């Protein structure tokens, strides 16, 4: 996988660059690599996408501040300051918004697929980090999440207007949301500064939401964690993100799962691994022992006579449930660790001396040949 380049490097600007310098740099790259000017050129397409992504972050003061402080993690929803909401909100449909701002007049005024430059965006998605135990991942559970999100303003009911008169057409752009400026051979459209590209203005903004039509509210949601979910997976709840402005659809709630490391079980996909110590007499004579499964059930495990240190025993169906098929489970693998006693009493020593005499153990044992696998491991 190619290494992601620094956004300032992509646009060829300094970290101290102004917004106008960033826009100018992006405009130059976008004109050079736009797919309409380079049909079938995959490299040009990738450079165009790379430049657009960099512009989307650096042209937004909030995103740029997080990127400058935390790098790529700051704009990819990473946890900032311990808040489970990674920097609050983010919109997945924002990545190519800069294209419409600059190219609406370059290639027919239609943006992507001929869509209108004036559009209403859906609400932003919310990202929540949820930490659970391995037992909870195996058994599933219901949890209550409390968080802040944008909901339709209860005072103006989403109109953004104090009197309820709603919005009026912007006199600056005539309702198009775009202002055209001529530059060289091109006519460039940029978002109208008076209406912020919406095409509408509110003369008497609601004092609660300040004309946005949405306001922050703390909500409580009960969600179900499915059995078998793995570390890093996401649960997406449609429509539970931020409310959209002007009646547009709401965003989604993304719940990212982090499974805490267990003291005794290690997970590999749907299988579990456990280390169980046994005595050297149990290893030599064999035995039947009991161990606790992840859900605290006792499982009988037979230790074969002559069991070697590091031997792996398998218990079928005692692992993690499959996410889509909770009735089906992986396996539990037991790695046996033979413990050698560090101190012996007089009777134990006598018995072992007798065993050594009976076995006729050699004081100068012959070395065993090292296998190719062992050689690779040790050397």
């Amino acid at each position: 996988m190619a290494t992601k380049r620094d956004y300032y490097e992509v646009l060829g600007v300094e970290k101290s660059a102004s917004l106008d310098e960033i826009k100018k740099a992006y405009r130059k790259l976008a004109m050079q690599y736009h797919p309409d000017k380079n049909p079938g050129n995959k490299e040009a397409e990738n450079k165009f996408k790379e430049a657009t992504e960099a512009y989307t972050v650096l042209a937004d003061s909030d995103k740029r501040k997080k990127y400058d402080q935390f790098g790529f993690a700051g704009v990819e929803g990473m946890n900032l300051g311990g808040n489970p909401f990674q920097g609050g909100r983010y919109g997945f449909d924002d990545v190519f918004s800069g294209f419409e701002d600059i190219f609406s007049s370059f290639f027919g005024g239609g943006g992507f697929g001929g869509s209108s430059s004036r559009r209403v965006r859906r609400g932003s998605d919310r990202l929540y980090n949820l930490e659970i135990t391995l037992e909870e991942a195996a058994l599933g559970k219901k949890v209550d999440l409390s968080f802040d999100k944008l909901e339709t303003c209860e005072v103006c009911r989403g109109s953004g207007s104090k009197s309820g008169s709603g919005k009026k057409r912007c006199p600056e752009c005539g309702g198009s949301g775009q202002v055209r400026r001529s530059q060289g051979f091109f006519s460039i459209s940029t978002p109208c500064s008076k209406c912020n590209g919406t095409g509408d203005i509110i003369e008497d903004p609601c004092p609660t939401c300040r004309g946005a039509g949405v306001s922050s509210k703390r909500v409580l949601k009960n969600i179900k964690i499915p059995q078998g979910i793995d570390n890093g997976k996401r649960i997406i709840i449609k429509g539970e993100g931020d409310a959209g402005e002007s009646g547009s659809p709401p965003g989604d709630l993304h719940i990212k799962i982090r499974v805490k490391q267990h003291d005794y079980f290690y997970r590999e996909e749907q299988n579990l691994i456990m280390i169980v110590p046994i005595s050297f007499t149990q290893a030599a004579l064999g035995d039947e022992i009991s161990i606790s499964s992840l859900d605290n059930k006792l499982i009988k495990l037979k230790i074969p006579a002559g069991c070697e240190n590091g031997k792996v025993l398998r218990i079928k169906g005692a692992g993690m449930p499959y996410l889509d098929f909770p009735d089906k489970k992986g396996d539990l693998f037991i790695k046996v660790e033979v413990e050698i006693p560090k101190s012996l009493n007089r009777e134990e020593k006598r018995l072992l001396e007798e065993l050594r005499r009976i076995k006729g153990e050699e004081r100068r044992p012959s070395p065993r040949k090292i296998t190719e696998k062992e050689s690779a491991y040790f050397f």
Side-chain angles (χ1 to χ4, degrees):
M1 182 182 291
T3 303
K4 202 169 186 178
R5 291 201 297 155
D6 175 74
Y7 288 145
Y8 293 98
E9 180 186 345
V10 170
L11 296 183
V13 296
E14 299 292 332
K15 285 196 173 184
S16 59
S18 65
L19 180 58
D20 286 340
E21 288 173 328
I22 289 170
K23 286 182 177 179
K24 185 177 180 181
Y26 170 61
R27 189 181 299 122
K28 180 180 178 181
L29 291 172
M31 289 171 58
Q32 180 180 354
Y33 296 114
H34 186 266
D36 286 359
K37 297 183 69 177
N38 301 273
N41 189 331
K42 194 69 178 177
E43 183 179 354
E45 181 184 346
N46 290 336
K47 286 184 177 294
F48 175 75
K49 289 180 179 179
E50 186 182 45
T52 301
E53 181 181 332
Y55 171 79
T56 303
V57 172
L58 300 184
D60 184 298
S61 59
D62 184 51
K63 292 178 182 176
R64 183 177 180 180
K65 182 179 179 181
K66 291 174 183 175
Y67 175 73
D68 287 344
Q69 188 173 3
F70 299 99
F72 294 114
V75 292
E76 291 176 354
M78 295 299 289
N79 195 327
L80 304 181
N83 190 329
F85 278 96
Q86 318 231 15
R89 58 193 178 118
Y90 58 98
F92 290 125
D93 59 343
D94 288 344
V95 175
F96 293 102
S97 61
F99 170 79
E100 288 185 326
D101 296 343
I102 295 177
F103 291 96
S104 58
S105 60
F106 283 12
F107 304 98
F112 288 115
S115 63
S116 171
S117 61
R118 178 186 173 188
R119 59 176 182 152
V120 178
R121 296 178 184 171
R122 66 189 282 273
S124 296
D125 294 330
R126 282 278 175 172
L127 179 62
Y128 192 97
N129 273 343
L130 180 63
E131 187 177 70
I132 61 175
T133 64
L134 187 60
E135 289 89 347
E136 290 167 340
L139 303 175
K141 68 173 296 188
K142 290 185 177 181
V143 295
D144 290 324
L145 302 183
S146 178
F147 56 93
D148 294 321
K149 72 169 187 172
L150 295 180
E151 292 205 329
T152 301
C153 178
E154 296 178 352
V155 176
C156 67
R157 297 184 179 181
S159 70
S161 171
K162 180 180 179 180
S163 63
S165 60
K167 301 178 179 180
K168 296 178 63 176
R169 179 175 291 184
C170 175
E172 185 75 19
C173 63
S176 67
Q178 301 286 315
V179 177
R180 291 195 174 216
R181 296 182 178 86
S182 295
Q183 186 173 16
F185 297 101
F186 299 101
S187 175
I188 300 173
S189 291
T190 57
C192 175
S193 59
K194 189 173 183 64
C195 64
N196 294 319
T198 64
D200 300 309
I201 60 170
I202 299 173
E203 293 182 332
D204 60 337
C206 169
T208 301
C209 66
R210 298 181 180 180
V214 292
S215 57
S216 182
K217 184 179 179 182
R218 179 155 287 270
V219 296
L220 182 68
K221 293 292 178 185
N222 182 266
I223 62 134
K224 183 179 180 181
I225 306 297
Q227 289 179 264
I229 195 163
D230 206 348
N231 187 55
K233 294 290 185 181
R234 291 191 184 193
I235 300 170
I236 301 176
I237 303 178
K238 297 290 185 181
E240 291 297 343
D242 286 339
E245 296 183 9
S246 304
S248 58
D252 302 329
L253 175 63
H254 290 238
I255 303 165
K256 188 175 181 180
I257 301 296
R258 180 184 179 275
V259 182
K260 290 192 290 188
Q261 184 174 330
H262 199 278
D263 289 336
Y264 304 109
F265 292 94
Y266 176 76
R267 178 177 183 175
E268 281 190 354
E269 297 183 348
Q270 304 313 122
N271 297 323
L272 293 174
I273 299 170
M274 187 184 201
I275 297 175
V276 175
I278 61 173
S279 69
F280 74 98
T281 52
Q282 287 176 309
L285 301 175
D287 202 354
E288 185 176 80
I289 62 174
S290 296
I291 61 171
S292 294
S293 64
L294 188 60
D295 54 359
N296 274 331
K297 292 180 180 177
L298 282 180
I299 301 176
K300 299 282 187 183
L301 177 66
K302 187 174 182 180
I303 305 295
C307 182
E308 293 182 344
N309 183 55
K311 185 176 179 63
V312 177
L313 305 174
R314 175 181 170 188
I315 302 175
K316 291 185 178 180
M320 296 289 293
Y322 284 79
L323 186 59
D324 298 323
F325 307 97
D327 292 334
K328 181 183 177 183
K329 292 185 178 182
D331 301 330
L332 172 60
F333 291 88
I334 307 294
K335 184 178 179 181
V336 174
E337 196 173 79
V338 180
E339 292 186 325
I340 306 298
K342 293 182 172 57
S343 61
L344 298 169
N345 60 36
R346 183 178 299 178
E347 180 62 14
E348 289 170 337
K349 286 182 179 180
R350 186 190 66 79
L351 291 173
L352 288 177
E353 289 288 354
E354 180 66 15
L355 176 62
R356 182 162 65 181
R357 186 188 65 79
I358 295 171
K359 294 285 290 182
E361 293 176 354
E362 297 182 23
R363 295 296 177 96
R364 295 184 62 187
S366 299
R368 179 175 63 80
K369 289 184 178 180
I370 296 176
T371 65
E372 186 176 338
K373 184 177 180 181
E374 289 170 329
S375 177
Y377 179 78
F378 287 111
F379 304 105

